[in-house]
Amino acid sequence: MSFHDLHHGDRPLLLPNAWDFASGAALVRAGFPAIGTTSLGVAAAAGKPDAAGGTRAETIALASVLARLPVPVTVDIEGGFSTRATDVAELVTELASFGIAGINLEDGRPDGTLAPLDHQTALIAAVKQAAPQVFLNARTDTFWLGDPDRDETLRRASAFAAAGADGIFVPGIVDDADIRAVLDAADVPLNVLFMPGKTEYERLARLGVHRVSTGSLLFRKALQTTVATALAVTGEVRDHPVPSYGDVQDLV
């Protein structure tokens, strides 16, 4: 099945997110039909903060090797690493030349605000014109940044779909009514972020969600296991919780 087709199966596409070639290859060996990348994992592994627009080179380098995997790969490009539509379109065209099947393109900005709607729709349209074969998952951070805003989410979801987005991603959305509203507003696949205890896979499946991403969870769990395993060498047992997104940002 193509990457587009995987969004229209009987069950939501569970998309695990890798941060290097080894994690991606291990997920493929485990049987996942597609993988994504996590911008937090890519940034932190390079000693850089996430969502700051500073990991363009690392993202391209990782994409070039992940493209060797025998499954579709979608790449998180944050906000595109530029405010210029031509720059972002050129980046996606380069990723497509490797064989990358999809991208995440977000409207959240490093200062915690949202990109203007007309700017973001123009960006989506330019990318789709330059690389129409690439599945563009348009992320809106209306629930991720500050107070959740359903009305603005629906406005952006509809506008992004009209501009050519192949899917809509709303990280942080958890409520059934909010999810149903987005599904009704945009006639394209909806991607929801898996959040333990908040967005159970079976519930999302019943609601009709098309794709469930793990985001930075696998990377953060790997950090937890790394520290716990090292401590256990000497027999030390210490309660070491999974680091939060903020905890990892603090590391760098």
Side-chain angles (χ1 to χ4, degrees):
M1 298 177 69
S2 72
F3 189 54
H4 285 72
D5 291 338
L6 289 171
H7 291 77
H8 299 282
D10 296 332
R11 306 271 287 167
L13 169 64
L14 178 55
L15 188 76
N17 298 85
W19 57 94
D20 60 11
F21 183 82
S23 58
L27 290 165
V28 171
R29 180 169 290 181
F32 288 95
I35 64 165
T37 65
T38 162
S39 64
L40 177 66
V42 173
K48 297 181 178 181
D50 183 35
T55 56
R56 186 181 190 277
E58 289 84 357
T59 298
I60 292 173
L62 178 58
S64 68
V65 295
L66 287 179
R68 292 161 39 195
L69 297 173
V71 301
V73 174
T74 183
V75 175
D76 187 340
I77 62 170
E78 299 185 4
F81 306 114
S82 175
T83 58
R84 289 166 37 104
T86 52
D87 293 343
V88 182
E90 288 174 2
L91 168 62
V92 179
T93 300
E94 182 176 5
L95 296 176
S97 74
F98 302 152
I100 295 301
I103 60 159
N104 272 7
L105 181 62
E106 63 194 49
D107 61 5
R109 289 187 161 175
D111 63 0
T113 63
L114 296 173
L117 182 57
D118 58 350
H119 168 85
Q120 201 67 13
T121 54
L123 191 60
I124 290 167
V127 169
K128 286 304 296 182
Q129 182 176 10
Q133 75 277 29
V134 174
F135 188 103
L136 195 162
N137 203 37
R139 168 176 160 169
T140 182
D141 284 341
T142 47
F143 275 71
W144 192 249
L145 301 173
D147 296 327
D149 188 335
R150 184 200 285 189
D151 290 342
E152 184 62 16
T153 301
L154 300 182
R155 188 166 78 102
R156 286 180 177 253
S158 298
F160 293 170
D166 300 287
I168 301 297
F169 182 25
V170 189
I173 195 170
V174 299
D175 183 75
D176 286 13
D178 290 334
I179 291 171
R180 289 194 185 99
V182 178
L183 285 166
D184 291 340
D187 191 24
V188 295
L190 173 62
N191 183 186
V192 172
L193 178 67
F194 174 71
M195 302 169 69
K198 296 181 179 180
T199 50
E200 302 84 358
Y201 179 84
E202 291 300 332
R203 179 168 65 87
L204 297 178
R206 289 194 297 271
L207 289 170
V209 169
H210 304 81
R211 170 168 148 183
V212 180
S213 300
T214 61
S216 65
L217 177 62
L218 304 185
F219 175 71
R220 292 184 290 109
K221 284 283 289 183
L223 293 181
Q224 178 200 34
T225 301
T226 296
V227 173
T229 303
L231 290 171
V233 171
T234 61
E236 181 177 353
V237 178
R238 188 190 307 173
D239 182 23
H240 190 77
V242 179
S244 68
Y245 179 93
D247 291 336
V248 178
Q249 287 279 68
D250 288 343
L251 289 176
V252 297

